[in-house]
Amino acid sequence: MHIDARELANHSLIEGDVCIIGAGAAGISMALDWIDTKYKVILLEGGGFQYDEKVQQLYDGKTTGQRYYPLQSARLHYFGGTTGHWAGFCSTFDPIDFTKRDWVPHSGWPIQKTDLDPYYTRAHEILELGPCEYDAAYWQRKDPSLKSLPVDQAIVWNKIWHFSPPTRFGEKYRDPIVNAKNIHLYTYANATDIAALENGNAVKEVTLKNYAGKTHTVKARLYVLACCSIQNARILLTSNKQMPSGLGNQNDLVGRFFMEHLEIKSGELRFESPVPMKLYDLHYGVTKTRAELAISEQQQAEHKILNGTMSLTTMPMARHIRPLIDVWNNKDPRKSGDSLLSNYYGAAKNYDRSKDDQRTYELYTRIEQAPNPNSRITLDSELDTLGVPKSILHWELTPLEKRSIRKIHELLGQQIGKSGVGRVKMMDFLKDENDFSWPPFTGAGWHHMGTTRMSDDPKNGVVNANCQVHGIDNLFIAGASCYATAAAPNPTLTVVALTMRLSDHLKQQIKITTRLAV
Amino acid sequence: MLSQPNALQHICDAETIREIGNAYQKLVPGENKETLIKLLAANVGHTINKSMGSSLVSSSLEKKVRQDFKENKTTIVNGWILSVTEARQCALFSLNQN
């Protein structure tokens, strides 16, 4: 059922079994999994079903350090969250992404890829993806025209990506959520404070506010924070009545290790003669799967580099595509979104196919950011209209990212040269191996990760392997803020998979608490 | 003959090859024209003379370039990931142009 929190009597008390704070990809995936259970689930959304300027402004914040997009437009604040404008790129993390790598400081998760594998299959259904198959050979058997570049797959391999329609959660899942008897969706219900019990080991209640001037209270047995990385950190930091440094922040980790995916034009691949490229092509809206070029785990270890992939776009078209960081520059996400679409559609329109000899491709790198405690979210002294301190993002990179991008090009260049089909050239900003500065066109994927990172040790992470906030028995976090490392792929698929895993855990957890109560 | 990097000639123009050559000379200033000729000629496997067909020289060097890549004897010049042999060919090309 749906309740507009603006219409409730002021100071209403809302009670249930599970309270999910945030109705984006994570929150809605979780709620869907609890439909028709015997539990009352309260799903809180700060906005309504449509874009609302006043609500969107609550995401305003400052940025320092590495140039970044306006925070207000980097996430959407209404039912469905940022799936309202996501592009649908999906791929699984690799086994190495979960391991402790001695060359990547602060790397290592307390879970492994195999722990997530069953949940990737479930996430595929939610995101309306095809079969959960990531072996390029599977797709090549189905379509023999998907030829691989002649590279040694033990060094450079074809990492498969799937493309969601993209699923707009707000449209696709509105009816199932609203029609579910045990799911109580509250819109215009912004969580502004999470109050803990006096000893701090459990959440007592959540305060809701909206710009209609109403304040309400939610009490539940289990709480799931699912507002995405910046907002998850923000509400934990601002919930400081019982714990002065903020909830879960006894070790000064909340908000730290903010990570993004670096996305940047980085080189070119020139062939001596045209090569079949269908395996790597992306015709947006048509292509269901494609490959990007990735570096094997063995090579990553040998060269002590981060995990990243390269996509290929025919150069005559790529020349017309402006860097993302220059295009997405308006605080209004609708205007930035239009600008982004114009960028791609304009490039497609201006690209003269008749002059494309299919021999030159732009290399575009997407790569994980090394976990960095100085890359972080803090609170501003300035408040939003609901009285909550705004966020400050300090985005900071390390030399490892740049060294890794350079080495990835070198490895691909060696493979392409060895195969005799062409040569690779890295862009000027990568030429000097001792230069760790970044060019002004350095962009990112709007992928916010890592501000409540996962670790079994409270001194190294905010949540444990079950996404439970260390030291707070009934507070859990869903979403990319739990990532200990970022991997190369866009985060949504893994967000949904991790949320399904958390959902299974909470179903066990709530049975235990029910038995104890009896 | 020695200064014609076969693969590169297919994918870039003479000006680019000259620029690569100039950059390589800056990277390895010790390899002057005489040294480059010696190093490249050593890859041909025969004494080079005027009667020798250019295709023999070209195919010998192409073979050496492929061998370089197999043995990771590569270098990064002006952002290009090249075999050391073809980088030397570019250097000789630029010296001949100059």
Side-chain angles (χ1 to χ4, degrees):
Chain A
M1 68 181 68
H2 167 235
I3 304 103
D4 186 330
R6 293 174 302 182
E7 307 300 322
L8 290 173
N10 201 12
H11 300 298
S12 290
L13 174 63
I14 301 161
E15 294 182 285
D17 294 304
V18 179
C19 172
I20 303 169
I21 305 168
I28 291 175
S29 297
M30 171 82 67
L32 288 169
D33 202 43
W34 285 69
I35 288 176
D36 291 335
T37 62
K38 62 182 179 181
Y39 303 105
K40 179 181 174 184
V41 174
I42 299 161
L43 176 60
L44 303 174
E45 167 52 49
F49 289 111
Q50 305 294 333
Y51 182 85
D52 182 324
E53 184 65 30
K54 279 192 205 168
V55 176
Q56 191 65 38
Q57 282 172 359
L58 298 172
Y59 280 177
D60 189 23
K62 292 178 185 145
T63 62
T64 60
Q66 182 69 33
R67 183 186 177 199
Y68 199 63
Y69 308 110
L71 290 190
Q72 188 173 320
S73 60
R75 279 288 168 283
L76 288 177
H77 201 350
Y78 58 90
F79 183 75
T82 309
T83 66
H85 68 195
W86 78 307
F89 284 50
C90 294
S91 189
T92 53
F93 282 18
D94 300 324
I96 195 174
D97 296 321
F98 296 88
T99 61
K100 173 83 182 156
R101 292 167 279 171
D102 60 16
W103 64 97
V104 182
H106 309 286
S107 60
W109 295 50
I111 60 173
Q112 301 303 315
K113 165 116 183 328
T114 48
D115 294 313
L116 273 190
D117 280 338
Y119 300 101
Y120 276 129
T121 306
R122 284 164 67 179
H124 259 238
E125 291 171 22
I126 292 169
L127 296 169
E128 302 177 276
L129 300 166
C132 192
E133 289 285 350
Y134 284 88
D135 182 357
Y138 171 89
W139 297 100
Q140 288 171 317
R141 281 194 296 274
K142 287 177 86 78
D143 180 355
S145 69
L146 298 173
K147 303 285 187 200
S148 176
L149 285 173
V151 291
D152 181 349
Q153 297 280 319
I155 294 174
V156 177
W157 62 289
N158 297 311
K159 183 168 176 63
I160 291 293
W161 290 68
H162 291 255
F163 296 92
S164 171
T167 304
R168 305 283 179 220
F169 278 51
E171 296 165 16
K172 173 85 179 170
Y173 297 120
R174 177 177 170 165
D175 285 348
I177 293 288
V178 170
N179 294 333
K181 286 180 184 167
N182 69 317
I183 309 293
H184 296 240
L185 167 66
Y186 289 82
T187 52
Y188 292 96
N190 282 282
T192 57
D193 184 66
I194 301 173
L197 295 172
E198 275 187 25
N199 61 9
N201 69 355
V203 171
K204 185 173 93 179
E205 61 191 31
V206 173
T207 301
L208 308 181
K209 287 189 177 180
N210 55 44
Y211 63 67
K214 303 278 179 69
T215 300
H216 310 299
T217 301
V218 178
K219 288 179 185 280
R221 293 158 66 190
L222 302 176
Y223 296 84
V224 180
L225 188 53
C227 300
C228 206
S229 294
I230 293 178
Q231 302 307 319
N232 283 351
R234 183 184 176 200
I235 193 167
L236 289 175
L237 291 171
T238 198
S239 298
N240 57 7
K241 286 185 185 127
Q242 288 76 28
M243 316 286 279
S245 61
L247 281 184
N249 197 30
Q250 58 274 26
N251 291 304
D252 188 24
L253 290 169
V254 171
R256 291 191 184 272
F257 298 96
F258 172 89
M259 297 179 289
E260 250 282 13
H261 289 125
L262 279 163
E263 295 201 7
I264 189 165
K265 291 168 178 263
S266 49
E268 62 184 273
L269 172 51
R270 292 194 196 175
F271 294 116
E272 291 185 37
S273 56
V275 168
M277 292 295 281
K278 190 177 175 187
L279 178 62
Y280 309 96
D281 278 347
L282 170 61
H283 296 284
Y284 194 68
V286 178
T287 304
K288 298 294 181 197
T289 55
R290 76 150 171 188
E292 293 192 356
L293 297 168
I295 304 300
S296 70
E297 298 193 351
Q298 187 272 334
Q299 288 291 307
Q300 288 179 49
E302 183 176 331
H303 298 288
K304 299 189 181 299
I305 58 173
L306 295 163
N307 200 357
T309 64
M310 278 182 287
S311 59
L312 300 106
T313 306
T314 183
M315 188 59 87
M317 183 159 88
R319 277 198 194 101
H320 294 287
I321 299 174
R322 294 171 59 208
L324 301 178
I325 198 78
D326 292 335
V327 171
W328 193 282
N329 52 18
N330 197 297
K331 275 190 168 189
D332 185 331
R334 296 166 302 177
K335 289 179 181 165
S336 276
D338 288 346
S339 172
L340 184 76
L341 289 176
S342 303
N343 189 32
Y344 288 119
Y345 290 140
K349 189 178 161 192
N350 295 323
Y351 151 56
D352 185 350
R353 281 177 175 73
S354 67
K355 289 184 181 165
D356 185 357
D357 62 6
Q358 307 274 302
R359 290 173 55 202
T360 310
Y361 287 80
E362 177 191 82
L363 296 169
Y364 186 87
T365 304
R366 67 180 92 242
I367 190 169
E368 65 175 325
Q369 167 181 0
N372 175 2
N374 297 327
S375 182
R376 65 184 297 202
I377 303 296
T378 54
L379 297 179
D380 198 353
S381 55
E382 192 181 339
L383 307 180
D384 69 15
T385 54
L386 299 180
V388 179
K390 291 185 177 182
S391 308
I392 301 173
L393 163 63
H394 178 73
W395 186 30
E396 187 179 289
L397 303 172
T398 71
L400 182 56
E401 285 86 323
K402 196 163 179 191
R403 189 175 70 73
S404 299
I405 296 177
R406 194 172 194 274
K407 179 55 76 174
I408 287 170
H409 283 73
E410 191 179 341
L411 291 169
L412 178 64
Q414 287 169 346
Q415 286 299 305
I416 293 294
K418 190 174 166 184
S419 70
V421 295
R423 295 290 181 272
V424 166
K425 180 179 189 284
M426 56 180 76
M427 281 179 69
D428 287 352
F429 76 93
L430 294 170
K431 276 184 187 174
D432 182 352
E433 62 185 333
N434 298 310
D435 173 14
F436 295 107
S437 64
W438 293 93
F441 55 86
T442 304
W446 303 273
H447 306 151
H448 303 167
M449 300 167 279
T451 58
T452 65
R453 68 199 317 260
M454 184 188 284
S455 171
D456 275 338
D457 182 352
K459 288 181 180 161
N460 294 324
V462 176
V463 300
N464 66 19
N466 290 319
C467 300
Q468 180 201 324
V469 176
H470 282 294
I472 304 179
D473 294 342
N474 63 347
L475 180 58
F476 298 82
I477 297 184
S481 64
C482 298
Y483 292 4
T485 52
N490 299 30
T492 305
L493 177 67
T494 300
V495 163
V496 176
L498 197 57
T499 300
M500 291 295 93
R501 182 174 174 274
L502 170 59
S503 185
D504 276 4
H505 175 71
L506 292 183
K507 283 177 180 171
Q508 294 302 315
Q509 195 72 13
I510 204 159
K511 280 181 195 165
I512 294 166
T513 59
T514 303
R515 279 204 300 272
L516 289 175
V518 170
Chain B
M1 288 184 287
L2 291 173
S3 62
Q4 309 290 319
N6 196 35
L8 281 175
Q9 284 180 319
H10 284 95
I11 58 174
C12 47
D13 57 20
E15 178 59 18
T16 304
I17 292 172
R18 196 181 62 79
E19 285 169 3
I20 294 171
N22 287 339
Y24 182 79
Q25 287 173 67
K26 283 181 188 161
L27 278 176
V28 194
E31 292 187 10
N32 59 21
K33 188 170 182 175
E34 191 182 15
T35 309
L36 286 166
I37 290 170
K38 264 189 199 168
L39 287 167
L40 289 167
N43 297 312
V44 176
H46 301 275
T47 306
I48 298 176
N49 55 51
K50 285 180 182 173
S51 64
M52 184 180 283
S54 61
S55 62
L56 179 61
V57 176
S58 178
S59 64
S60 298
L61 287 169
E62 263 188 83
K63 198 174 164 188
K64 175 60 180 163
V65 167
R66 282 198 297 275
Q67 189 66 25
D68 279 356
F69 276 112
K70 278 181 191 160
E71 294 170 359
N72 285 338
K73 288 181 182 167
T74 57
T75 181
I76 301 174
V77 189
N78 249 9
W80 291 91
I81 293 92
L82 303 173
S83 100
V84 171
T85 298
E86 66 187 345
R88 286 174 174 152
Q89 288 182 282
C90 294
L92 188 57
F93 177 84
S94 69
L95 285 168
N96 287 344
Q97 295 287 303
N98 296 339

